[in-house]
Amino acid sequence: MKHIEHGQDAPQQPLGIVPTVDLSAEPGRQEFYQRADGKSLAPLWRVLHGLVTATPQPPCTAAQWKYREVRPFLMEACEQISTAEAERRVLVLENPSLRGQSRITQSLFCGLQIILPGEVAPPHRHVASALRFIVEGRDAYTAVGGERTTMEAGDFVITPSMTWHDHGNESDAPMVWVDGLDMHIVNMMAASFRDSYPAATHPLVRPEGAAAAEFGSNLLPIDHQPGSLASPIFNYPYRATREALHRYARAAAPDAWHGYKMKYINPVTGGWAMPTISTWLQHLPKGLKTAPYRATDSTVLVVVEGSGTTRIGDQHFSWQPHDILVIPSWVEHQHCADGDAVLFGYSDRVVQEKLGFWREEKING
Ligand code: 1HN
């Protein structure tokens, strides 16, 4: 390969160009490139190593939203617009490196939704699946496929693909939850549909608690035939998940990398609760410092209880209840809990696992 002089400048190596390409020969190829371009043809050798990177190059960056700073904006949003006008009163958490795209990671959406006493959010359905993780409030409901569930802080609620859903708040206080959605995965495949329900409310077809009664006790109705890829349990109440997590912590030693991490599962399959978004709950006992870890799923963490510090690459974030953090793909991180802490997490890990490319690395445990 010929050496080219660039004076004081570093060699101009176009991003992604194959290193064996002789840059000094490139000017002589320009006329060819231009004619090819006229036919919508482009040389792979100028972009190959940018397309197929040696390691993950997440477009999102590590980030944190402090609930203390965000909450006043949610309250102000309530003065600006009603749920009826907005359809869903949500402030989108946009990754600082992906502004204007409604993405918290390259593949997932995150928003904070607030619904005031007496408000209702009208029924609609879409191909995108949604999760709710309740941040504050109690006694507001969401209805999914004609069954209501009353929610409180820490509950994890699923709205499976194409199920009718609406929300209402019959309590005397605002309710705030995290909305996690997979519409960017749906849209990557151009497979999105959406319908509005042709009435103000969707009829209730099952009594509240029916899904939990049928599927929520490690038992299944004997002739149950799965009707959906998502878990038939659509509310995993914190009362039960918190107790399970702490029972686990009393029964076993903490994992060096995870502390105590338990995934929400679909009782019909034993797999992840949702087909496109992995969800889990993590308990970090007081004083525990997890060993460095990385995985290929860019992750959203919601602090449920406790406070601590997380190192993500060379950045340090200290967190409090309801703060939200992003850990990009393949960036080494570790947590340290000041007091007993619980984190809720979600990512596209389940999609990567199905496609066979999810990887993790547990570093010097
Ligand atoms: C949606 O349908 C809800 O149903 C919340 O509460 C947030 C963000 C984007 C697209 C649809 C909801 C959403 C959403």
Side-chain angles (χ1 to χ4, degrees):
M1 193 162 80
K2 284 187 199 153
H3 182 73
I4 336 157
E5 287 298 333
H6 285 277
Q8 301 286 85
D9 297 328
Q12 291 287 296
Q13 188 87 354
L15 222 63
I17 198 166
V18 172
T20 46
V21 168
D22 178 357
L23 293 179
S24 71
E26 283 292 275
R29 297 172 183 144
Q30 288 305 313
E31 188 271 335
F32 165 67
Y33 291 158
Q34 271 165 24
R35 274 187 294 110
D37 182 68
K39 295 288 177 203
S40 301
L41 295 168
L44 176 63
W45 53 92
R46 290 187 60 85
V47 293
L48 175 60
H49 285 194
L51 290 176
V52 181
T53 60
T55 55
Q57 302 295 319
C60 61
T61 44
Q64 180 187 36
W65 287 261
K66 289 194 170 290
Y67 193 64
R68 176 171 41 79
E69 294 174 4
V70 173
R71 193 178 187 278
F73 285 90
L74 290 169
M75 293 301 157
E76 220 181 308
C78 295
E79 295 162 18
Q80 295 286 339
I81 196 162
S82 67
T83 288
E85 185 181 351
E87 187 167 329
R88 299 293 190 263
R89 192 199 286 112
V90 176
L91 290 179
V92 182
L93 277 58
E94 292 194 331
N95 190 281
S97 299
L98 299 169
R99 296 306 312 276
Q101 299 182 43
S102 302
R103 295 173 200 262
I104 191 161
T105 68
Q106 65 288 329
S107 59
L108 293 170
F109 173 96
C110 182
L112 280 164
Q113 179 161 178
I114 181 162
I115 180 162
L116 295 177
E119 288 189 320
V120 293
H124 68 197
R125 64 178 187 179
H126 33 70
V127 170
S129 303
L131 67 85
R132 327 278 165 206
F133 190 80
I134 314 308
V135 170
E136 64 169 280
R138 56 186 311 146
D139 295 338
Y141 65 84
T142 191
V144 176
E147 182 182 333
R148 269 191 189 184
T149 185
T150 304
M151 306 177 288
E152 60 183 323
D155 290 1
F156 160 59
V157 176
I158 302 173
T159 306
S161 181
M162 281 316 265
T163 53
W164 293 108
H165 55 284
D166 53 57
H167 320 296
N169 185 347
E170 295 176 344
S171 82
D172 55 9
M175 181 174 266
V176 177
W177 64 69
V178 170
D179 284 310
L181 285 96
D182 62 3
M183 81 285 272
H184 300 301
I185 299 173
V186 175
N187 290 342
M188 184 172 76
M189 326 248 171
S192 178
F193 292 90
R194 183 196 76 230
D195 302 305
S196 293
Y197 193 72
T201 56
H202 184 277
L204 295 173
V205 299
R206 308 210 302 162
E208 176 156 2
E214 281 187 273
F215 307 108
S217 306
N218 284 321
L219 295 159
L220 293 179
I222 201 150
D223 289 327
H224 174 70
Q225 298 291 328
S228 148
L229 292 173
S231 171
I233 299 175
F234 70 104
N235 187 352
Y236 293 73
Y238 193 53
R239 235 176 312 111
T241 53
R242 183 182 197 279
E243 173 57 20
L245 200 56
H246 286 87
R247 257 200 332 265
Y248 174 34
R250 289 192 293 273
D255 178 86
W257 297 274
H258 298 309
Y260 299 94
K261 198 184 271 187
M262 297 182 105
K263 59 191 204 177
Y264 291 93
I265 62 162
N266 176 342
V268 179
T269 63
W272 298 98
M274 300 175 70
T276 51
I277 308 179
S278 289
T279 53
W280 62 88
L281 215 46
Q282 179 174 26
H283 169 55
L284 301 169
K286 177 180 165 65
L288 182 81
K289 183 170 189 184
T290 59
Y293 176 83
R294 60 180 177 173
T296 54
D297 51 322
S298 297
T299 291
V300 182
L301 294 177
V302 182
V303 180
V304 191
E305 295 182 40
S307 61
T309 310
T310 297
R311 176 182 69 82
I312 307 174
D314 56 10
Q315 291 177 274
H316 290 79
F317 298 93
S318 44
W319 38 262
Q320 304 282 327
H322 315 321
D323 290 353
I324 296 176
L325 291 136
V326 179
I327 302 170
S329 168
W330 214 238
V331 178
E332 189 182 307
H333 58 275
Q334 52 191 145
H335 306 295
C336 187
D338 301 338
D340 279 345
V342 178
L343 308 175
F344 169 78
Y346 73 93
S347 78
D348 60 16
R349 173 173 169 172
V350 56
V351 177
Q352 295 193 36
E353 285 179 351
K354 284 174 182 167
L355 300 179
F357 47 68
W358 182 78
R359 280 201 209 185
E360 67 178 343
E361 188 181 4
K362 296 179 163 179
I363 303 154
N364 42 277

